[in-house]
Amino acid sequence: MAENYSDEVLYDFTPMLKAYKDGRVVRLTGEQFVPASVDPATRVKSKDVQISPELGVAARIYLPGDAKLKLPVVVYFHGGGFAVESPFSPLYHKHLNHVVAESNAVAVSVDYRLAPEYPLPTAYDDSWLALKWVFSDEAQNEEWIRDYADLGRVYLGGDSAGGNIAHHLAIRVGSEQNTGTNISLRGIFLNCPYFGGKDPVGVESSEEMVMWKKFVDILWVFVYPKEFPGYDDPWINPAKDPRVSGLGCSRVLVYVAEKDYLKDRGWYYKETLEKSGWFGEIEVVEVKGEDHVFSVFSPDGENGLAMIQKVASFINH
């Protein structure tokens, strides 16, 4: 029997999602919703806020259970290839509980809209809107921001696609520093950031990684289909961005994993920033034996916890 047109797969990004020729998108992960709560393991509290109800941009705010004074702020962007996951999934809810507990910081985990329904640059625009909200008068109506958030100690963080977003928001902060904006950043931390480029770097040229390069390249087309910018556009390849020397913070921490296809993009990012004339300091930490965003999948494992503790030290430096 001939296959029904509606069952023909146009893109197969298993284990993330499948997109069909009839327009259906079936997400295979990140769809489960966990309500805000007091986490019994860490005593971290959380609540959900609407940032732009008309656009559907929201966030989950986290607060240490024993918060008393003003604390550093982490604005966090989840991974998932710009196409799956949310701050409300079990995976990211647990991860942020551990980050907040270890760093003793207020966290704002951003729920940006996903591709392909909302193709890039929507995720960047939504995330910028959320960052502006943190510094806005409106956010002062939210007691956890008003009473506990030290807006002089704000950090951006993210894993995979979220690391890409954190980088680009820091670029935008830097480019708008002379426009009267009140947004300022202390630093950013990127966990296995999703960067790429037309020409392979490091392990990307090896035979065993050919499949992964194809996966990453096709995913970029999928999430940014309109007026496709190419594989060397600054959105995906920071080395091609003439603004990179103006990254709007003085400290960067990058984590990469030995078995991750994207590992050498993290090292190349360090090389790019150092050669650009950027004024800050960057550290890259490579974790042996681990794969992509290992600390998200296992925040209480030995290596995941060690990474989160390193991030906590970075935030409180």
Side-chain angles (χ1 to χ4, degrees), residues 16 53 63 74 76 103 119 126 136 152-153 166 169 171 176 194 206-207 212 256 268 292 313:
M16 294 167 55
L63 185 71
V74 174
Y76 194 86
S103 62
D126 288 355
S136 71
R153 292 187 290 163
L169 263 60
I171 288 288
E176 297 192 5
Y194 176 21
S206 64
E207 184 176 344
W212 281 111
V256 297
Y268 187 46
H292 192 57
S313 176

PDB file of all heavy atoms in Angstrom, residues 16 53 63 74 76 103 119 126 136 152-153 166 169 171 176 194 206-207 212 256 268 292 313:
ATOM      1  N   MET A  16      14.719  14.277  19.153  1.00  0.00           N
ATOM      2  CA  MET A  16      14.095  15.564  19.464  1.00  0.00           C
ATOM      3  C   MET A  16      12.680  15.668  18.912  1.00  0.00           C
ATOM      4  O   MET A  16      11.728  15.874  19.661  1.00  0.00           O
ATOM      5  CB  MET A  16      14.956  16.700  18.911  1.00  0.00           C
ATOM      6  CG  MET A  16      16.310  16.838  19.579  1.00  0.00           C
ATOM      7  SD  MET A  16      17.416  17.923  18.657  1.00  0.00           S
ATOM      8  CE  MET A  16      16.421  19.411  18.527  1.00  0.00           C
ATOM      9  N   PRO A  53       2.161  38.246  27.710  1.00  0.00           N
ATOM     10  CA  PRO A  53       1.055  37.321  27.469  1.00  0.00           C
ATOM     11  C   PRO A  53       0.599  37.299  26.015  1.00  0.00           C
ATOM     12  O   PRO A  53       0.222  36.248  25.485  1.00  0.00           O
ATOM     13  CB  PRO A  53      -0.050  37.841  28.381  1.00  0.00           C
ATOM     14  CG  PRO A  53       0.666  38.598  29.443  1.00  0.00           C
ATOM     15  CD  PRO A  53       1.858  39.210  28.778  1.00  0.00           C
ATOM     16  N   LEU A  63      14.165  30.824  43.543  1.00  0.00           N
ATOM     17  CA  LEU A  63      14.705  31.545  44.682  1.00  0.00           C
ATOM     18  C   LEU A  63      15.211  30.535  45.712  1.00  0.00           C
ATOM     19  O   LEU A  63      14.493  29.583  46.057  1.00  0.00           O
ATOM     20  CB  LEU A  63      13.616  32.419  45.324  1.00  0.00           C
ATOM     21  CG  LEU A  63      14.046  33.325  46.469  1.00  0.00           C
ATOM     22  CD1 LEU A  63      14.905  34.479  45.934  1.00  0.00           C
ATOM     23  CD2 LEU A  63      12.819  33.871  47.192  1.00  0.00           C
ATOM     24  N   VAL A  74      20.714  34.968  37.602  1.00  0.00           N
ATOM     25  CA  VAL A  74      21.028  34.174  36.415  1.00  0.00           C
ATOM     26  C   VAL A  74      19.807  34.176  35.505  1.00  0.00           C
ATOM     27  O   VAL A  74      18.734  33.708  35.899  1.00  0.00           O
ATOM     28  CB  VAL A  74      21.389  32.726  36.781  1.00  0.00           C
ATOM     29  CG1 VAL A  74      21.578  31.892  35.516  1.00  0.00           C
ATOM     30  CG2 VAL A  74      22.637  32.681  37.645  1.00  0.00           C
ATOM     31  N   TYR A  76      18.467  32.409  32.404  1.00  0.00           N
ATOM     32  CA  TYR A  76      18.862  31.131  31.790  1.00  0.00           C
ATOM     33  C   TYR A  76      18.004  30.810  30.565  1.00  0.00           C
ATOM     34  O   TYR A  76      16.786  31.025  30.570  1.00  0.00           O
ATOM     35  CB  TYR A  76      18.734  29.990  32.805  1.00  0.00           C
ATOM     36  CG  TYR A  76      19.425  28.734  32.342  1.00  0.00           C
ATOM     37  CD1 TYR A  76      20.779  28.538  32.582  1.00  0.00           C
ATOM     38  CD2 TYR A  76      18.731  27.753  31.638  1.00  0.00           C
ATOM     39  CE1 TYR A  76      21.432  27.403  32.134  1.00  0.00           C
ATOM     40  CE2 TYR A  76      19.369  26.614  31.184  1.00  0.00           C
ATOM     41  CZ  TYR A  76      20.724  26.442  31.433  1.00  0.00           C
ATOM     42  OH  TYR A  76      21.365  25.321  30.972  1.00  0.00           O
ATOM     43  N   SER A 103      24.488  27.933  43.610  1.00  0.00           N
ATOM     44  CA  SER A 103      25.004  29.283  43.371  1.00  0.00           C
ATOM     45  C   SER A 103      24.413  30.324  44.313  1.00  0.00           C
ATOM     46  O   SER A 103      24.913  31.445  44.379  1.00  0.00           O
ATOM     47  CB  SER A 103      24.731  29.705  41.926  1.00  0.00           C
ATOM     48  OG  SER A 103      23.340  29.743  41.665  1.00  0.00           O
ATOM     49  N   PRO A 119       9.930  30.421  13.673  1.00  0.00           N
ATOM     50  CA  PRO A 119      11.330  30.252  13.245  1.00  0.00           C
ATOM     51  C   PRO A 119      12.216  31.383  13.773  1.00  0.00           C
ATOM     52  O   PRO A 119      11.734  32.464  14.141  1.00  0.00           O
ATOM     53  CB  PRO A 119      11.240  30.282  11.717  1.00  0.00           C
ATOM     54  CG  PRO A 119       9.965  31.001  11.403  1.00  0.00           C
ATOM     55  CD  PRO A 119       9.029  30.669  12.528  1.00  0.00           C
ATOM     56  N   ASP A 126      12.459  36.947  21.652  1.00  0.00           N
ATOM     57  CA  ASP A 126      11.753  36.646  22.899  1.00  0.00           C
ATOM     58  C   ASP A 126      12.706  36.710  24.096  1.00  0.00           C
ATOM     59  O   ASP A 126      12.352  37.213  25.173  1.00  0.00           O
ATOM     60  CB  ASP A 126      11.133  35.249  22.826  1.00  0.00           C
ATOM     61  CG  ASP A 126       9.937  35.177  21.895  1.00  0.00           C
ATOM     62  OD1 ASP A 126       9.513  36.227  21.374  1.00  0.00           O
ATOM     63  OD2 ASP A 126       9.437  34.050  21.684  1.00  0.00           O
ATOM     64  N   SER A 136      13.359  45.947  34.058  1.00  0.00           N
ATOM     65  CA  SER A 136      12.283  46.923  33.879  1.00  0.00           C
ATOM     66  C   SER A 136      11.613  47.289  35.195  1.00  0.00           C
ATOM     67  O   SER A 136      11.719  46.579  36.205  1.00  0.00           O
ATOM     68  CB  SER A 136      11.222  46.365  32.928  1.00  0.00           C
ATOM     69  OG  SER A 136      10.499  45.311  33.565  1.00  0.00           O
ATOM     70  N   GLY A 152      22.945  44.526  39.696  1.00  0.00           N
ATOM     71  CA  GLY A 152      24.343  44.834  39.398  1.00  0.00           C
ATOM     72  C   GLY A 152      25.189  43.584  39.248  1.00  0.00           C
ATOM     73  O   GLY A 152      26.377  43.676  38.922  1.00  0.00           O
ATOM     74  N   ARG A 153      24.559  42.415  39.481  1.00  0.00           N
ATOM     75  CA  ARG A 153      25.275  41.132  39.349  1.00  0.00           C
ATOM     76  C   ARG A 153      24.429  40.161  38.527  1.00  0.00           C
ATOM     77  O   ARG A 153      23.945  39.152  39.038  1.00  0.00           O
ATOM     78  CB  ARG A 153      25.578  40.534  40.723  1.00  0.00           C
ATOM     79  CG  ARG A 153      26.597  41.309  41.538  1.00  0.00           C
ATOM     80  CD  ARG A 153      26.959  40.556  42.823  1.00  0.00           C
ATOM     81  NE  ARG A 153      25.844  40.557  43.780  1.00  0.00           N
ATOM     82  CZ  ARG A 153      25.768  39.713  44.816  1.00  0.00           C
ATOM     83  NH1 ARG A 153      26.708  38.795  45.001  1.00  0.00           N
ATOM     84  NH2 ARG A 153      24.744  39.801  45.658  1.00  0.00           N
ATOM     85  N   ALA A 166      22.472  32.997  24.771  1.00  0.00           N
ATOM     86  CA  ALA A 166      23.163  33.801  25.783  1.00  0.00           C
ATOM     87  C   ALA A 166      24.280  34.623  25.149  1.00  0.00           C
ATOM     88  O   ALA A 166      24.454  35.807  25.468  1.00  0.00           O
ATOM     89  CB  ALA A 166      23.715  32.899  26.882  1.00  0.00           C
ATOM     90  N   LEU A 169      22.710  37.562  23.114  1.00  0.00           N
ATOM     91  CA  LEU A 169      22.187  38.634  23.958  1.00  0.00           C
ATOM     92  C   LEU A 169      23.321  39.466  24.531  1.00  0.00           C
ATOM     93  O   LEU A 169      23.200  40.692  24.652  1.00  0.00           O
ATOM     94  CB  LEU A 169      21.306  38.062  25.059  1.00  0.00           C
ATOM     95  CG  LEU A 169      19.796  38.088  24.735  1.00  0.00           C
ATOM     96  CD1 LEU A 169      19.478  37.282  23.487  1.00  0.00           C
ATOM     97  CD2 LEU A 169      18.985  37.595  25.921  1.00  0.00           C
ATOM     98  N   ILE A 171      26.141  39.989  23.026  1.00  0.00           N
ATOM     99  CA  ILE A 171      26.560  40.820  21.894  1.00  0.00           C
ATOM    100  C   ILE A 171      25.648  42.044  21.790  1.00  0.00           C
ATOM    101  O   ILE A 171      26.120  43.181  21.604  1.00  0.00           O
ATOM    102  CB  ILE A 171      26.516  40.019  20.575  1.00  0.00           C
ATOM    103  CG1 ILE A 171      27.644  38.987  20.532  1.00  0.00           C
ATOM    104  CG2 ILE A 171      26.579  40.952  19.360  1.00  0.00           C
ATOM    105  CD1 ILE A 171      29.024  39.557  20.326  1.00  0.00           C
ATOM    106  N   GLU A 176      24.626  47.971  22.510  1.00  0.00           N
ATOM    107  CA  GLU A 176      23.703  49.022  22.942  1.00  0.00           C
ATOM    108  C   GLU A 176      24.186  49.765  24.191  1.00  0.00           C
ATOM    109  O   GLU A 176      23.425  50.534  24.789  1.00  0.00           O
ATOM    110  CB  GLU A 176      22.312  48.422  23.181  1.00  0.00           C
ATOM    111  CG  GLU A 176      21.688  47.841  21.919  1.00  0.00           C
ATOM    112  CD  GLU A 176      20.211  47.499  22.080  1.00  0.00           C
ATOM    113  OE1 GLU A 176      19.642  47.810  23.149  1.00  0.00           O
ATOM    114  OE2 GLU A 176      19.641  46.928  21.132  1.00  0.00           O
ATOM    115  N   TYR A 194      25.716  25.614  21.043  1.00  0.00           N
ATOM    116  CA  TYR A 194      25.397  25.245  19.665  1.00  0.00           C
ATOM    117  C   TYR A 194      25.886  26.347  18.731  1.00  0.00           C
ATOM    118  O   TYR A 194      25.195  27.320  18.466  1.00  0.00           O
ATOM    119  CB  TYR A 194      23.888  25.035  19.533  1.00  0.00           C
ATOM    120  CG  TYR A 194      23.367  24.739  18.138  1.00  0.00           C
ATOM    121  CD1 TYR A 194      24.179  24.242  17.130  1.00  0.00           C
ATOM    122  CD2 TYR A 194      22.018  24.941  17.834  1.00  0.00           C
ATOM    123  CE1 TYR A 194      23.690  23.966  15.871  1.00  0.00           C
ATOM    124  CE2 TYR A 194      21.501  24.666  16.583  1.00  0.00           C
ATOM    125  CZ  TYR A 194      22.347  24.184  15.601  1.00  0.00           C
ATOM    126  OH  TYR A 194      21.841  23.917  14.351  1.00  0.00           O
ATOM    127  N   SER A 206      36.248  14.477  11.153  1.00  0.00           N
ATOM    128  CA  SER A 206      36.511  13.041  11.267  1.00  0.00           C
ATOM    129  C   SER A 206      35.348  12.235  10.720  1.00  0.00           C
ATOM    130  O   SER A 206      34.198  12.676  10.724  1.00  0.00           O
ATOM    131  CB  SER A 206      36.768  12.661  12.730  1.00  0.00           C
ATOM    132  OG  SER A 206      35.620  12.886  13.516  1.00  0.00           O
ATOM    133  N   GLU A 207      35.659  11.040  10.259  1.00  0.00           N
ATOM    134  CA  GLU A 207      34.656  10.196   9.605  1.00  0.00           C
ATOM    135  C   GLU A 207      33.488   9.872  10.531  1.00  0.00           C
ATOM    136  O   GLU A 207      32.329   9.866  10.120  1.00  0.00           O
ATOM    137  CB  GLU A 207      35.319   8.896   9.133  1.00  0.00           C
ATOM    138  CG  GLU A 207      34.388   7.987   8.351  1.00  0.00           C
ATOM    139  CD  GLU A 207      35.101   6.762   7.807  1.00  0.00           C
ATOM    140  OE1 GLU A 207      36.347   6.767   7.773  1.00  0.00           O
ATOM    141  OE2 GLU A 207      34.407   5.812   7.418  1.00  0.00           O
ATOM    142  N   TRP A 212      26.915  13.646  12.427  1.00  0.00           N
ATOM    143  CA  TRP A 212      26.520  14.722  13.332  1.00  0.00           C
ATOM    144  C   TRP A 212      26.607  16.087  12.672  1.00  0.00           C
ATOM    145  O   TRP A 212      25.776  16.959  12.940  1.00  0.00           O
ATOM    146  CB  TRP A 212      27.365  14.677  14.599  1.00  0.00           C
ATOM    147  CG  TRP A 212      26.903  13.627  15.546  1.00  0.00           C
ATOM    148  CD1 TRP A 212      27.542  12.476  15.891  1.00  0.00           C
ATOM    149  CD2 TRP A 212      25.646  13.605  16.250  1.00  0.00           C
ATOM    150  NE1 TRP A 212      26.782  11.742  16.765  1.00  0.00           N
ATOM    151  CE2 TRP A 212      25.617  12.408  17.009  1.00  0.00           C
ATOM    152  CE3 TRP A 212      24.566  14.472  16.319  1.00  0.00           C
ATOM    153  CZ2 TRP A 212      24.534  12.074  17.822  1.00  0.00           C
ATOM    154  CZ3 TRP A 212      23.489  14.134  17.124  1.00  0.00           C
ATOM    155  CH2 TRP A 212      23.474  12.950  17.858  1.00  0.00           C
ATOM    156  N   VAL A 256      32.681  22.264  27.724  1.00  0.00           N
ATOM    157  CA  VAL A 256      32.562  21.361  26.592  1.00  0.00           C
ATOM    158  C   VAL A 256      32.761  19.935  27.101  1.00  0.00           C
ATOM    159  O   VAL A 256      33.351  19.717  28.162  1.00  0.00           O
ATOM    160  CB  VAL A 256      33.576  21.684  25.472  1.00  0.00           C
ATOM    161  CG1 VAL A 256      33.322  23.067  24.905  1.00  0.00           C
ATOM    162  CG2 VAL A 256      35.018  21.561  25.959  1.00  0.00           C
ATOM    163  N   TYR A 268      36.936  26.850  19.765  1.00  0.00           N
ATOM    164  CA  TYR A 268      37.073  27.843  18.685  1.00  0.00           C
ATOM    165  C   TYR A 268      36.471  29.186  19.111  1.00  0.00           C
ATOM    166  O   TYR A 268      36.961  30.257  18.724  1.00  0.00           O
ATOM    167  CB  TYR A 268      36.394  27.310  17.429  1.00  0.00           C
ATOM    168  CG  TYR A 268      36.598  28.149  16.180  1.00  0.00           C
ATOM    169  CD1 TYR A 268      37.858  28.626  15.830  1.00  0.00           C
ATOM    170  CD2 TYR A 268      35.528  28.441  15.334  1.00  0.00           C
ATOM    171  CE1 TYR A 268      38.050  29.381  14.685  1.00  0.00           C
ATOM    172  CE2 TYR A 268      35.705  29.189  14.185  1.00  0.00           C
ATOM    173  CZ  TYR A 268      36.963  29.648  13.865  1.00  0.00           C
ATOM    174  OH  TYR A 268      37.141  30.407  12.726  1.00  0.00           O
ATOM    175  N   HIS A 292      27.172  15.615  25.200  1.00  0.00           N
ATOM    176  CA  HIS A 292      26.484  16.897  25.086  1.00  0.00           C
ATOM    177  C   HIS A 292      25.605  17.201  26.307  1.00  0.00           C
ATOM    178  O   HIS A 292      24.826  16.366  26.749  1.00  0.00           O
ATOM    179  CB  HIS A 292      25.640  16.885  23.808  1.00  0.00           C
ATOM    180  CG  HIS A 292      25.099  18.211  23.399  1.00  0.00           C
ATOM    181  ND1 HIS A 292      25.891  19.305  23.168  1.00  0.00           N
ATOM    182  CD2 HIS A 292      23.814  18.627  23.194  1.00  0.00           C
ATOM    183  CE1 HIS A 292      25.144  20.331  22.815  1.00  0.00           C
ATOM    184  NE2 HIS A 292      23.878  19.946  22.837  1.00  0.00           N
ATOM    185  N   SER A 313      30.718  29.028  41.514  1.00  0.00           N
ATOM    186  CA  SER A 313      31.899  29.808  41.875  1.00  0.00           C
ATOM    187  C   SER A 313      32.081  30.979  40.918  1.00  0.00           C
ATOM    188  O   SER A 313      32.416  32.097  41.332  1.00  0.00           O
ATOM    189  CB  SER A 313      33.132  28.911  41.859  1.00  0.00           C
ATOM    190  OG  SER A 313      34.307  29.655  42.122  1.00  0.00           O
TER     191      SER A 313
END
